[in-house]
Amino acid sequence: MAEIVPFPQPRAPRDPEPLWRQLIGAELRRRRHERGDTLTETADAAGISPQYLSEIERGMKDPSSEMMAAVAGALDLSLLDLTTAVAEGLSPAAAPVRQAPGAFALAA
């Protein structure tokens, strides 16, 4: 006799995870505030407009790696410093749940 295998239970809905650009922007803003720099000071040092930096910090723009490096450099950060800080700030509870593939029972 064949073994009956139950179907996997549906996952409970979760809040959507934040976008990478939002996390990067929040970290850049946090670091800028920590230094006491104004938006204009940091933007000038990075060679971008204050409006564009504001959009990056608010997670509205998805900056290129060159732009991220310029802003990070203006804050005396490396890209490694920036990405590590963002990655460390992620909660393990926010990580997607990985389930082993389930077996299906077919009726003959």
Side-chain angles (χ1 to χ4, degrees), residues 20-35:
W20 186 249
R21 70 174 183 245
Q22 294 168 328
L23 298 170
I24 289 285
E27 183 64 21
L28 289 171
R29 177 172 283 177
R30 187 185 74 72
R31 294 293 183 110
R32 181 175 62 77
H33 285 176
E34 206 173 69
R35 289 170 49 102

Side-chain angles (χ1 to χ4, degrees), residues 2 4 7 12 14 17 27-28 36-37 55 63 69 78 82 98 102:
I4 298 175
F7 287 102
R14 293 184 298 161
E17 292 187 67
E27 183 64 21
L28 289 171
D37 291 352
E55 290 175 332
S78 68
L82 178 61
R98 303 278 183 219

Side-chain angles (χ1 to χ4, degrees), residues 20 79-89:
W20 186 249
L79 281 176
L80 180 59
D81 296 332
L82 178 61
T83 55
T84 300
V86 171
E88 287 174 350

Side-chain angles (χ1 to χ4, degrees), residues 49-105:
S49 73
Q51 294 83 4
Y52 188 64
L53 178 56
S54 174
E55 290 175 332
I56 291 172
E57 286 185 352
R58 289 181 287 131
M60 304 299 290
K61 294 290 183 185
D62 202 356
S64 67
S65 58
E66 290 87 358
M67 286 294 171
M68 283 194 296
V71 177
L75 297 170
D76 295 323
L77 298 169
S78 68
L79 281 176
L80 180 59
D81 296 332
L82 178 61
T83 55
T84 300
V86 171
E88 287 174 350
L90 292 173
S91 166
V97 176
R98 303 278 183 219
Q99 291 184 352
F104 292 93

